[in-house]
């Protein structure tokens, strides 16, 4: 079998993220066939023995289910195909090797954490309106937010005939003519933050989803994707309450 980088071996087998794999390799906690591994080393999953802190890491059996995180850039729509001919997120995950689908949506002008999978059960769990998985967004708003607007954003609000659940809004800073905020939603209505801000007379300059529950976008490069770890999948599936 063709050799792969050690970091990829860890991510493909849902042990840990590529970044964390690099850290444990640098710390000397990983061995290949009894020899301490170094960054850049490659392994043959079928013939080499990889240990982490003395425990043998066995390759997972091939599965039809796949779970990935994408750092969605601006300008892409979250559909498999688009009747208007616009770029879709599917173009960014062509090298996944399996057919996956977006879990929920980020509009064309929003960016950040997007999950894709072929696991329908998990998709339903995460996209159901009554789901309680909080989602946090970094939102840059033009100008300052008045006390009145902030109070309205965090109070019960009705959008499209639906009474929204309370939203947490935290102001991080006000500089260069813009207010940097964090919005945390306990539900994910269509274009909810944009509609809330429109209702308050606020203009959004940039909107980025940075986390879903405890799952964080981290330092994943814009336009890039990675497989979720087993711990992350278990967390999203409700099997554990932490990652």
């Amino acid at each position: 079998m063709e050799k792969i980088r050690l970091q990829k071996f860890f991510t493909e087998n849902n042990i840990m993220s590529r970044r964390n794999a690099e850290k444990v390799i640098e710390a000397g906690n990983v061995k290949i066939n009894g020899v301490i591994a170094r960054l850049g080393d490659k392994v043959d999953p079928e013939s080499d023995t990889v240990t982490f802190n003395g425990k043998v890491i066995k390759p997972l059996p091939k599965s039809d289910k796949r779970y990935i995180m994408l750092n969605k850039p601006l300008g892409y729509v979250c559909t498999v195909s688009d009747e208007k001919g616009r770029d879709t997120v599917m173009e960014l995950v062509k090298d996944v090797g399996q057919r996956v689908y977006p879990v929920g949506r980020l509009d064309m002008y929003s960016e950040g954490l997007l999950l894709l999978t072929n696991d329908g059960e998990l998709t339903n769990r995460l996209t159901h309106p009554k789901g309680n998985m909080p989602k946090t967004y970094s939102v840059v708003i033009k100008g300052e937010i008045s006390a009145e607007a902030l109070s309205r954003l965090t109070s019960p609000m009705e959008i499209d005939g639906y009474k929204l659940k309370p939203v947490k809004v935290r102001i991080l800073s006000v500089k260069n003519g813009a207010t940097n905020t964090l919005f945390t939603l306990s539900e994910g209505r269509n274009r909810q933050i944009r509609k809330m801000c429109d209702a308050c007379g606020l203009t959004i300059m940039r909107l980025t989803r940075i986390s879903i529950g405890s799952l964080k976008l981290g330092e994943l490069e814009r336009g890039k994707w990675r497989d979720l770890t087993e711990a992350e999948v278990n967390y999203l599936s409700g099997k554990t309450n932490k990652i």
Side-chain angles (χ1 to χ4, degrees):
M1 184 174 180
E2 183 179 354
K3 289 193 173 187
I4 61 174
R5 285 191 178 274
L6 188 53
Q7 297 96 305
K8 186 176 182 181
F9 175 84
F10 275 92
T11 59
E12 283 190 348
N13 291 289
N14 293 334
I15 304 301
M16 64 184 73
S17 69
R18 186 181 298 268
R19 184 173 179 79
N20 285 336
E22 291 174 350
K23 291 180 179 179
V24 298
I25 294 169
E26 289 181 323
N29 297 327
V30 180
K31 291 183 179 180
I32 303 173
N33 301 325
V35 179
I36 294 177
R38 299 179 182 276
L39 278 179
D41 283 351
K42 294 184 177 182
V43 296
D44 182 335
E46 293 184 355
S47 62
D48 290 326
T49 299
V50 178
T51 58
F52 171 48
N53 287 337
K55 182 180 179 180
V56 175
I57 306 300
K58 296 182 179 180
L60 294 175
K62 296 296 182 182
S63 171
D64 290 334
K65 292 184 179 180
R66 195 74 178 271
Y67 311 87
I68 69 171
M69 175 196 295
L70 170 71
N71 186 350
K72 175 193 172 299
L74 296 175
Y76 289 83
V77 293
C78 293
T79 56
V80 174
S81 60
D82 184 68
E83 69 281 358
K84 297 180 180 179
R86 296 173 295 185
D87 293 329
T88 78
V89 293
M90 305 310 296
E91 297 171 36
L92 301 172
V93 297
K94 289 188 293 187
D95 56 342
V96 169
Q98 286 175 266
R99 189 73 164 173
V100 291
Y101 306 90
V103 178
R105 295 187 177 185
L106 286 173
D107 67 51
M108 185 174 181
Y109 304 104
S110 299
E111 55 192 320
L113 196 166
L114 178 70
L115 299 177
L116 296 96
T117 185
N118 52 11
D119 185 339
E121 183 177 352
L122 180 63
T123 297
N124 291 335
R125 171 182 169 79
L126 295 178
T127 57
H128 195 285
K130 293 184 179 180
N132 58 2
M133 185 74 74
K135 299 177 179 65
T136 301
Y137 299 77
S138 169
V139 186
V140 180
I141 295 174
K142 185 177 181 180
E144 296 188 26
I145 302 177
S146 67
E148 180 182 359
L150 181 61
S151 175
R152 189 175 179 189
L153 287 172
T154 55
S155 300
M157 182 182 291
E158 187 173 299
I159 297 291
D160 297 334
Y162 177 82
K163 190 173 182 179
L164 300 173
K165 293 181 180 179
V167 173
K168 296 180 181 179
V169 181
R170 177 185 172 195
I171 295 179
L172 300 179
S173 64
V174 180
K175 58 183 179 181
N176 301 324
T179 302
N180 297 299
T181 68
L182 289 179
F183 279 61
T184 300
L185 282 57
S186 58
E187 59 185 342
R189 294 286 165 176
N190 182 40
R191 296 172 61 84
Q192 180 175 333
I193 294 177
R194 293 191 184 280
K195 290 178 179 179
M196 290 174 62
C197 287
D198 283 345
C200 296
L202 301 173
T203 300
I204 292 177
M205 301 172 65
R206 187 173 184 179
L207 193 157
T208 307
R209 182 155 64 198
I210 59 174
S211 68
I212 297 177
S214 298
L215 179 65
K216 301 183 185 301
L217 181 62
E219 298 182 7
L220 183 63
E221 293 181 28
R222 192 173 301 158
K224 301 297 184 181
W225 63 269
R226 70 166 176 86
D227 284 291
L228 298 185
T229 66
E230 182 179 12
E232 290 170 337
V233 174
N234 287 339
Y235 168 74
L236 294 173
S237 300
K239 296 178 181 179
T240 61
N241 58 9
K242 62 180 181 179
I243 297 177

